[in-house]
Amino acid sequence: METTGQALCRALIARGVDTVFGIPGAHMYDFNDALHERRDAIRFIHTRHEQGAGYMAYGYAKSTGSIGAYTVVPGPGVLNSGAALCTAYGANAPVLCLTGNIMSDLIGRGRGQLHELPDQLQTLAGLTKRAERIDHQCQSAAVLGDVIDTMLSGRQGPGAVEAPWDVFGMKGPDVVLPEARPKAAPQVNPTQIEAAAALIAGARNPLIMVGGGAVEAGESIAALAELLGAPVTSHRSGKGVVSDEHPNTLNFVAAHAYWKDVDVLIGIGSRLELQYMRWRWLPEGLKVVRIDIDPTEMVRLKPDVAVVADADAGTRALLEALSGHKADGRKDEFARRNKEARERFATVQPQIGYLEAIREALPRDGFFVEEICQMGFAARFAFPVYEPRHYVTCGYQDNLGFGFNTALGVKVAHPDKAVVSISGDGGFMFGVQELATAVQHNIAVVAIVFNNQAYGNVLRDQKDSYSGHILGSELGNPDFVKLAESFGVTAFRATSPAELKSALDEALSLHRPALIEVPVERGSEISPWPFIHPAPPQG
């Protein structure tokens, strides 16, 4: 005999979940107790805020491609974690929310029970690929299995499972664990491949754009680029799919200069945000080929040729179809374009100097977690990445404050790798309480806080576009070094790139949580936006 909570734990273990982040609470006690029973197989990391738990699960999932699980109480706990769920939805990360609900016979009656929401399940459904309720102990493993299968099928995304307060402790015979049955990826359509190959074979200046859907296809994409003599570029989630050291890789600033001559755009696992939303200008006569596992993408942005397939399978089929193709090598040209781009964005200071210092100190296989801040925006084009998943981003949500808490989840998933989080002072304060979590569980993230005493983007926009009408964008801050030390975190202060490099070297050698504060004069940063939202190319 087992309770619903025990059945869920057994099912989670069977699906490879080895860590659950969260905060225990009354509705969840029977599940919490089951986690305690299985602490030999599932590590429970308790956080200081539900949003922290959700973001840590997101960091775990985004950096591994495996399930990142967290548990919170219903109602306010679910809502507090909602920002992490919408991040996971936007960034295609398999984050699993495990929560409760009020007593089963009271759901929907509006009696005002503890943590009651009018329709929590529908709220969760709007933030996930699938949300389901367990109404009886015998359903536990089957419901969980169905949700996980949906999360991992096709375009990955978050899921949620809730159980009423009285159901978590319900006992019954041990449930049968269903086999994992994620849906198979769509089969490659040879007609689509033939059409794509014909279009690409005639291209003079093709460009390959990769996104987060291509993280498992780096090898085949690099081979395609070499075969075509084509450059590869990326924006955020695609960074590292093909190493920035590969001779066919173009930094996206360099890719924009190349864009005016592109005749065929090949999007692989990408929404093509860079070209259609950031650059906002299309070369005359441009043809578009897309390879994407999500058929809906072909409706949202209709290409000339749509290959609905797994990124790696589709790219390999395209390679085979183009096997006889011959193209001139253009590696010298790409190297020159990258050099010219670096010279142009070298003016974005002090961000570039500090990012170069971080790249020098961070091991090649270390993880870099960005944030919505001046350093984070510049990193999208100025921070080289050598492996997929090693540049962790929040995707299109661009939600302030995700970074540090997400980095903790990355480190839990990769305890033997260096993990660096960069934040502005504003964003860091969204999750500063999780310094306590880092210390209590010895999660050795190095947090670099660039303190410009402002919400930097807002301040710049208010100055430049609203006649200097400053409202709520100038911040008063604590002494971050003393604050970190009060949590038991080793802390440093660096006032130059050289000092940051030295402090980061030392912090990484400690193998325990550390913080580095970098004071930056308010409003002094050169805007990175002309490189992210550039003017249309000339000539």
Side-chain angles (χ1 to χ4, degrees):
M1 302 285 283
E2 64 182 357
T3 66
T4 299
Q6 290 169 328
L8 281 174
C9 282
R10 196 159 56 85
L12 287 168
I13 294 166
R15 295 303 295 258
V17 175
D18 60 8
T19 303
V20 174
F21 304 91
I23 299 177
H27 299 72
M28 311 299 298
Y29 280 163
D30 287 295
F31 180 58
N32 300 153
D33 193 57
L35 285 170
H36 181 268
E37 288 179 355
R38 297 309 311 267
R39 62 191 182 277
D40 60 321
I42 297 181
R43 180 184 183 186
F44 183 68
I45 294 179
H46 62 289
T47 67
R48 298 305 178 94
H49 192 282
E50 290 96 348
Q51 190 174 99
Y55 278 139
M56 289 179 210
Y58 172 71
Y60 190 104
K62 188 66 173 171
S63 65
T64 62
S66 301
I67 296 166
Y70 75 95
T71 180
V72 292
V73 295
V78 165
L79 295 178
N80 279 342
S81 73
L85 279 180
C86 73
T87 301
Y89 191 90
N92 309 313
V95 171
L96 175 63
C97 172
L98 299 159
T99 189
N101 207 323
I102 61 174
M103 293 293 185
S104 54
D105 61 319
L106 295 173
I107 293 175
R109 295 178 62 182
R111 294 281 294 155
Q113 298 295 308
L114 176 66
H115 297 347
E116 182 178 0
L117 287 179
D119 192 341
Q120 176 176 278
L121 194 62
Q122 188 59 42
T123 299
L124 285 166
L127 297 172
T128 61
K129 286 187 71 178
R130 184 169 184 176
E132 298 289 349
R133 178 183 299 143
I134 298 170
D135 291 313
H136 191 278
Q137 180 265 357
C138 68
Q139 300 174 313
S140 304
V143 169
L144 180 68
D146 287 346
V147 170
I148 290 177
D149 285 344
T150 300
M151 290 166 59
L152 299 179
S153 296
R155 186 174 185 163
Q156 292 189 347
V161 173
E162 70 169 32
W165 198 339
D166 51 317
V167 172
F168 267 122
M170 183 185 294
K171 281 191 173 182
D174 289 4
V175 299
V176 176
L177 300 183
E179 293 183 10
R181 291 192 179 91
K183 292 180 181 177
Q187 290 190 352
V188 177
N189 185 328
T191 303
Q192 294 172 333
I193 292 295
E194 182 180 347
L199 196 60
I200 293 167
R204 300 182 311 278
N205 291 298
L207 173 65
I208 301 172
M209 174 68 191
V210 298
V215 289
E216 303 295 340
E219 183 179 333
S220 57
I221 291 170
L224 180 65
E226 292 165 6
L227 177 68
L228 300 178
V232 181
T233 196
S234 61
H235 181 208
R236 290 175 293 212
S237 297
K239 284 177 72 70
V241 168
V242 178
S243 170
D244 278 319
E245 287 189 330
H246 191 284
N248 286 71
T249 298
L250 278 187
N251 177 286
F252 78 64
V253 176
H256 179 255
Y258 175 82
W259 176 236
K260 64 181 179 180
D261 297 319
V262 170
D263 52 354
V264 176
L265 174 63
I266 306 166
I268 304 177
S270 169
R271 295 181 300 120
L272 303 179
E273 176 188 359
L274 197 60
Q275 289 76 21
Y276 282 84
M277 301 182 199
R278 302 291 184 181
W279 295 350
R280 299 170 292 178
W281 177 90
L282 301 178
E284 185 177 353
L286 178 73
K287 300 297 183 182
V288 180
V289 173
R290 300 188 67 186
I291 301 175
D292 203 291
I293 200 168
D294 183 0
T296 310
E297 274 299 307
M298 306 309 183
V299 178
R300 292 176 179 139
L301 200 164
K302 187 175 181 180
D304 294 279
V305 180
V307 179
V308 179
D310 168 78
D312 189 53
T315 304
R316 290 190 181 281
L318 194 55
L319 273 169
E320 184 176 346
L322 289 164
S323 59
H325 184 77
K326 301 292 182 183
D328 295 333
R330 304 174 66 177
K331 294 176 181 178
D332 289 343
E333 175 195 344
F334 301 152
R336 173 182 56 78
R337 288 183 178 275
N338 279 324
K339 181 175 182 292
E340 290 172 351
R342 287 192 296 270
E343 290 171 352
R344 288 169 50 217
F345 63 64
T347 59
V348 181
Q349 296 294 348
Q351 298 98 301
I352 300 304
Y354 282 121
L355 290 169
E356 288 174 347
I358 296 170
R359 182 66 276 179
E360 188 177 350
L362 183 67
R364 291 178 57 84
D365 62 353
F367 289 81
F368 179 94
V369 184
E370 69 163 22
E371 176 58 273
I372 309 309
C373 64
Q374 298 307 300
M375 298 294 162
F377 294 134
R380 294 176 185 177
F381 56 80
F383 193 83
V385 182
Y386 309 122
E387 298 181 40
R389 301 191 186 278
H390 282 58
Y391 183 96
V392 181
T393 168
C394 57
Y396 66 74
Q397 287 294 344
D398 267 5
N399 42 327
L400 184 63
F402 93 100
F404 174 59
N405 296 347
T406 294
L408 295 177
V410 174
K411 183 64 176 179
V412 169
H414 306 274
D416 298 326
K417 303 293 185 183
V419 178
V420 169
S421 159
I422 62 163
S423 300
D425 48 301
F428 184 72
M429 290 294 285
F430 278 41
V432 65
Q433 73 283 342
E434 302 307 336
L435 285 171
T437 303
V439 170
Q440 188 158 2
H441 294 279
N442 193 30
I443 307 172
V445 167
V446 179
I448 305 175
V449 181
F450 292 94
N451 179 10
N452 63 3
Q453 302 180 71
Y455 294 126
N457 255 16
V458 177
L459 180 63
R460 181 188 296 116
D461 288 344
Q462 289 175 344
K463 286 181 175 179
D464 294 348
S465 303
Y466 291 89
S467 305
H469 298 161
I470 308 304
L471 179 70
S473 56
E474 295 181 338
L475 306 178
N477 287 319
D479 181 320
F480 284 103
V481 170
K482 290 181 179 178
L483 178 63
E485 289 174 343
S486 74
F487 280 94
V489 172
T490 303
F492 308 81
R493 182 173 286 111
T495 59
S496 69
E499 288 183 8
L500 177 58
K501 163 70 165 56
S502 177
L504 184 52
D505 283 337
E506 183 175 351
L508 289 171
S509 73
L510 298 175
H511 302 293
R512 60 175 184 264
L515 180 145
I516 305 170
E517 180 186 6
V518 182
V520 178
E521 182 182 351
R522 179 186 286 161
S524 65
E525 302 100 331
I526 300 298
S527 175
W529 289 102
F531 297 99
I532 301 171
H533 278 302
Q538 302 299 314

Coordinates of all heavy atoms in Angstrom, one line a residue, residues 325-353:
H325 N 26.9 19.0 -53.4 CA 27.0 20.4 -53.5 C 28.4 20.9 -53.3 O 29.2 20.3 -52.5 CB 26.1 21.1 -52.5 CG 26.1 22.6 -52.6 ND1 25.3 23.2 -53.6 CD2 26.7 23.6 -51.9 CE1 25.5 24.5 -53.4 NE2 26.3 24.8 -52.4
K326 N 28.9 21.8 -54.1 CA 30.2 22.4 -54.0 C 30.1 23.9 -53.8 O 29.3 24.6 -54.4 CB 31.0 22.1 -55.3 CG 31.2 20.7 -55.7 CD 32.1 20.0 -54.6 CE 32.3 18.5 -55.0 NZ 33.1 17.8 -54.0
A327 N 30.8 24.4 -52.8 CA 30.8 25.8 -52.5 C 32.2 26.3 -52.2 O 33.0 25.6 -51.7 CB 29.8 26.1 -51.3
D328 N 32.4 27.6 -52.5 CA 33.7 28.2 -52.2 C 33.8 28.4 -50.7 O 32.9 28.7 -50.0 CB 33.8 29.6 -52.9 CG 33.8 29.4 -54.4 OD1 34.3 28.4 -54.9 OD2 33.4 30.4 -55.1
G329 N 35.0 28.2 -50.2 CA 35.3 28.4 -48.8 C 35.3 29.9 -48.6 O 35.9 30.7 -49.3
R330 N 34.7 30.4 -47.5 CA 34.6 31.8 -47.2 C 35.1 32.1 -45.8 O 34.7 33.1 -45.2 CB 33.2 32.3 -47.4 CG 32.7 32.0 -48.8 CD 31.2 32.3 -49.0 NE 31.0 33.8 -48.9 CZ 29.7 34.3 -49.1 NH1 28.7 33.5 -49.4 NH2 29.6 35.6 -49.0
K331 N 35.9 31.2 -45.2 CA 36.3 31.4 -43.8 C 37.1 32.7 -43.6 O 36.9 33.3 -42.5 CB 37.1 30.2 -43.4 CG 36.2 28.9 -43.4 CD 37.0 27.6 -43.0 CE 36.1 26.4 -43.1 NZ 36.9 25.2 -42.8
D332 N 37.9 33.1 -44.5 CA 38.7 34.3 -44.3 C 37.7 35.5 -44.3 O 37.9 36.4 -43.5 CB 39.7 34.5 -45.4 CG 40.8 33.5 -45.4 OD1 41.0 32.9 -44.3 OD2 41.5 33.4 -46.4
E333 N 36.7 35.5 -45.1 CA 35.7 36.5 -45.1 C 34.9 36.6 -43.8 O 34.7 37.7 -43.2 CB 34.7 36.3 -46.3 CG 33.5 37.3 -46.3 CD 32.3 36.9 -47.1 OE1 32.5 36.0 -48.0 OE2 31.3 37.5 -46.9
F334 N 34.5 35.4 -43.3 CA 33.8 35.4 -42.0 C 34.7 35.9 -40.9 O 34.2 36.6 -40.0 CB 33.3 34.0 -41.7 CG 32.4 33.4 -42.8 CD1 32.3 32.1 -43.0 CD2 31.6 34.3 -43.6 CE1 31.4 31.6 -44.0 CE2 30.8 33.8 -44.6 CZ 30.7 32.4 -44.8
A335 N 36.0 35.5 -40.9 CA 36.9 36.0 -39.8 C 37.0 37.5 -39.9 O 37.0 38.2 -38.9 CB 38.2 35.3 -40.0
R336 N 37.1 38.0 -41.1 CA 37.2 39.5 -41.2 C 35.9 40.2 -40.7 O 36.0 41.2 -40.0 CB 37.4 39.8 -42.7 CG 37.4 41.3 -43.0 CD 37.6 41.6 -44.5 NE 36.6 41.0 -45.4 CZ 35.4 41.4 -45.5 NH1 34.9 42.5 -44.9 NH2 34.6 40.7 -46.4
R337 N 34.8 39.6 -41.1 CA 33.5 40.2 -40.6 C 33.4 40.2 -39.1 O 33.0 41.2 -38.5 CB 32.4 39.5 -41.3 CG 32.2 39.8 -42.8 CD 30.9 39.1 -43.3 NE 30.7 39.3 -44.7 CZ 30.1 40.4 -45.2 NH1 29.6 41.3 -44.3 NH2 29.9 40.5 -46.5
N338 N 33.8 39.1 -38.5 CA 33.8 39.0 -37.0 C 34.7 40.0 -36.4 O 34.4 40.7 -35.4 CB 34.1 37.6 -36.6 CG 33.0 36.6 -36.6 OD1 31.8 37.0 -36.4 ND2 33.3 35.4 -37.0
K339 N 35.9 40.2 -37.0 CA 36.9 41.1 -36.5 C 36.3 42.6 -36.6 O 36.4 43.4 -35.6 CB 38.2 41.0 -37.2 CG 39.3 42.0 -36.8 CD 40.6 41.7 -37.5 CE 41.7 42.6 -37.0 NZ 41.5 44.0 -37.4
E340 N 35.7 42.9 -37.7 CA 35.2 44.2 -37.9 C 34.0 44.5 -36.9 O 33.9 45.6 -36.3 CB 34.7 44.4 -39.3 CG 35.8 44.4 -40.4 CD 35.3 44.4 -41.8 OE1 34.0 44.2 -42.0 OE2 36.1 44.6 -42.7
A341 N 33.2 43.5 -36.7 CA 32.1 43.6 -35.7 C 32.7 43.8 -34.3 O 32.2 44.7 -33.6 CB 31.2 42.4 -35.7
R342 N 33.7 43.1 -33.9 CA 34.2 43.3 -32.6 C 34.8 44.7 -32.4 O 34.7 45.3 -31.3 CB 35.3 42.2 -32.3 CG 34.8 40.8 -32.1 CD 35.8 39.8 -31.5 NE 36.9 39.6 -32.4 CZ 36.9 38.7 -33.4 NH1 35.9 37.8 -33.5 NH2 38.0 38.5 -34.2
E343 N 35.4 45.2 -33.4 CA 36.0 46.5 -33.4 C 34.9 47.5 -33.2 O 35.0 48.5 -32.5 CB 36.8 46.8 -34.6 CG 38.1 46.0 -34.7 CD 38.8 46.2 -36.1 OE1 38.2 46.7 -37.0 OE2 39.9 45.7 -36.2
R344 N 33.7 47.3 -33.8 CA 32.6 48.2 -33.7 C 32.0 48.2 -32.3 O 31.7 49.2 -31.7 CB 31.6 47.9 -34.8 CG 32.0 48.3 -36.2 CD 31.1 47.8 -37.3 NE 29.7 48.0 -37.0 CZ 28.7 47.2 -37.2 NH1 29.0 46.0 -37.8 NH2 27.4 47.5 -37.0
F345 N 31.7 47.0 -31.8 CA 31.0 47.0 -30.5 C 32.0 47.1 -29.3 O 31.6 47.1 -28.2 CB 30.1 45.8 -30.4 CG 30.7 44.4 -30.4 CD1 31.6 43.9 -29.4 CD2 30.3 43.5 -31.4 CE1 32.1 42.6 -29.4 CE2 30.8 42.2 -31.4 CZ 31.7 41.8 -30.4
A346 N 33.3 47.2 -29.6 CA 34.3 47.4 -28.5 C 34.0 48.8 -27.8 O 34.5 49.0 -26.7 CB 35.7 47.4 -29.1
T347 N 33.2 49.6 -28.4 CA 32.9 50.9 -27.8 C 31.8 50.8 -26.7 O 31.6 51.8 -26.0 CB 32.3 51.9 -28.9 OG1 31.1 51.3 -29.5 CG2 33.3 52.1 -30.0
V348 N 31.2 49.6 -26.6 CA 30.1 49.4 -25.6 C 30.8 49.2 -24.3 O 31.0 48.0 -23.9 CB 29.2 48.3 -26.0 CG1 28.1 48.1 -25.0 CG2 28.6 48.6 -27.4
Q349 N 31.2 50.2 -23.6 CA 31.9 50.1 -22.4 C 31.1 50.7 -21.2 O 30.3 51.6 -21.4 CB 33.3 50.9 -22.5 CG 34.2 50.3 -23.5 CD 34.7 48.9 -23.2 OE1 34.6 48.4 -22.0 NE2 35.3 48.2 -24.2
P350 N 31.4 50.2 -20.0 CA 32.4 49.3 -19.6 C 32.1 47.8 -19.8 O 32.8 46.9 -19.4 CB 32.6 49.6 -18.1 CG 31.2 50.0 -17.7 CD 30.6 50.7 -18.8
Q351 N 30.9 47.5 -20.4 CA 30.4 46.2 -20.5 C 31.4 45.2 -21.2 O 31.7 44.1 -20.6 CB 29.1 46.1 -21.2 CG 27.9 46.9 -20.6 CD 27.7 48.3 -21.2 OE1 28.7 49.1 -21.2 NE2 26.6 48.5 -21.7
I352 N 32.0 45.6 -22.3 CA 32.8 44.7 -23.1 C 34.1 44.4 -22.3 O 34.5 43.2 -22.2 CB 33.2 45.3 -24.4 CG1 31.9 45.6 -25.2 CG2 34.1 44.4 -25.2 CD1 31.0 44.5 -25.5
G353 N 34.7 45.3 -21.6 CA 35.8 45.0 -20.8 C 35.6 44.1 -19.7 O 36.4 43.1 -19.5

